[in-house]
Amino acid sequence: MSESTIEPWLREILRCPACRAELRDDTGPDGQELVCTSGECGLAYRVEDGIPVLLVDEARRPA
């Protein structure tokens, strides 16, 4: 399975929908994801075919 990258212009404007903090790139149990940088939030959003799924209800909670 090949990983698609998010367009740089889009990557710069993406924010956590739950708390509006910046997101950092990471790799989770299911592949590429964007993780909230807020210490209180920390939600991880999966990326499918280069498209971030920024749905709070589907985000992975921090351990």
Side-chain angles (χ1 to χ4, degrees):
M1 178 170 143
S2 68
E3 259 183 35
S4 301
T5 58
I6 300 170
E7 292 289 331
W9 65 268
L10 177 59
R11 183 66 196 84
E12 286 185 30
I13 62 173
L14 291 177
R15 296 291 179 264
C16 176
C19 72
R20 308 303 300 157
E22 290 187 19
L23 298 167
R24 65 176 166 80
D25 295 298
D26 203 353
T27 302
D30 296 322
Q32 182 183 8
E33 61 185 20
L34 297 175
V35 179
C36 177
T37 58
S38 168
E40 293 102 37
C41 181
L43 293 175
Y45 302 93
R46 73 182 185 280
V47 177
E48 293 182 359
D49 298 322
I51 301 169
V53 181
L54 298 176
L55 299 172
V56 175
D57 291 342
E58 293 188 22
R60 185 172 58 81
R61 301 277 175 202

